[in-house]
Amino acid sequence: MSEYAIELRDVSRVHGSGETTVHALRGVSLSVAPGTLLAVMGPSGSGKSTLLQLAGGLDRPSEGSVHVEGVALGELGRAGLAQLRRRGIGYVFQDLNLIPALTAAENVALPRELDGVRARQARAEALTALREVDVENVADRFPDEMSGGQQQRVAIARALVGPRRLLLADEPTGALDSYTGESVLGVIRARCDAGAAGLLVTHEARHAAWADRIVFLRDGQVVDETVSPAPDSLLEVQS
Ligand code: ADP
Ligand code: MG
């Protein structure tokens, strides 16, 4: 068993070819141990979402390797990867991805049911996760019956539900007012304090301050790394 929940080893991701080649990531190495929250900052287009997608096994690197709890994702088949993602990885997408035909509770319960948990227990776990982010009251509403902030919290509950050991969040506070945003980060922080590992993409220094460490991306490369809270001189580079 690896000492890291997630490890990227010299990872590059190239899109396209010829004149349209985009180097989304170039030679990125980083690792996050259980109990640790790592923030990823950087300007738009610097590769933050690409990094998270690779970490979650939603995309594959062009070079290098990604390891979750010591398992090289590149060596898993489609089914093995899907199972590892459902069981171990909670992912908050930049564009939420809630299923419109399912209620909040059904959206949150889905990954558990897909993993073989009985419907009754999956619903109980879903309600617990919804309560954790303070939206248990919308459990039986459909996404189009909720505010943007409520939808975002439901998406976060879906990432937290069950025994997830790795939390990946891509600007998870975008649609939230600052008070709610901070409380959601507090929930992610608490999960990491309880032993999960987290990767948090954010462009707000205030949010990165919840993390133990911050890495800064620029043009697909890690250009700086610091313990949080970052010195003002580093954070100013981002604005
Ligand atoms: P960020 O999340 O920091 O804004 P992204 O990881 O989304 O950055 O994108 C990094 C770079 O890779 C950008 O230049 C983006 O346009 C490019 N990119 C991302 N995904 C694709 C794709 N599927 N095809 C082509 N280029 C892409
Ligand atoms: Mg992004």
Side-chain angles (χ1 to χ4, degrees), residues 44-235:
S44 179
S46 59
K48 304 183 298 295
S49 293
T50 301
L51 188 158
L52 220 62
Q53 283 162 9
L54 292 167
L58 299 170
D59 187 17
R60 290 184 186 269
S62 309
E63 282 176 69
S65 57
V66 178
H67 305 254
V68 172
E69 296 180 330
V71 176
L73 297 188
E75 285 166 22
L76 291 175
R78 188 187 275 266
L81 184 61
Q83 186 185 72
L84 180 137
R85 279 176 28 204
R86 276 199 312 268
R87 286 200 183 154
I89 305 177
Y91 203 111
V92 185
F93 297 90
Q94 207 164 2
D95 52 358
L96 305 187
N97 280 345
L98 292 177
I99 298 173
L102 299 182
T103 64
E106 288 166 350
N107 264 284
V108 176
L110 184 63
R112 301 298 289 144
E113 289 194 54
L114 289 174
D115 209 25
V117 172
R118 282 166 185 268
R120 227 186 135 97
Q121 193 198 328
R123 178 168 171 95
E125 290 181 0
L127 293 177
T128 300
L130 288 168
R131 197 177 311 129
E132 222 175 322
V133 288
D134 225 12
V135 283
E136 204 186 2
N137 59 320
V138 301
D140 296 317
R141 286 195 212 158
F142 293 93
D144 68 3
E145 300 168 338
M146 304 174 216
S147 71
Q150 288 168 336
Q151 289 182 29
Q152 193 145 24
R153 281 190 273 178
V154 171
I156 290 162
R158 184 184 52 188
L160 295 173
V161 72
R164 262 72 178 274
R165 297 178 304 270
L166 177 60
L167 300 177
L168 305 174
D170 199 347
E171 310 208 12
T173 57
L176 302 177
D177 62 72
S178 65
Y179 173 78
T180 311
E182 294 287 322
S183 72
V184 158
L185 292 170
V187 170
I188 293 174
R189 176 73 256 176
R191 280 298 181 98
C192 292
D193 288 340
L199 261 175
L200 168 70
V201 168
T202 180
H203 54 259
E204 292 194 53
R206 198 158 42 86
H207 293 162
W210 286 91
D212 300 289
R213 285 186 294 136
I214 307 173
V215 298
F216 295 88
L217 284 185
R218 178 161 296 227
D219 296 333
Q221 287 180 298
V222 175
V223 291
D224 252 310
E225 177 158 6
T226 180
V227 292
S228 177
D232 291 344
S233 58
L234 274 180
L235 294 177

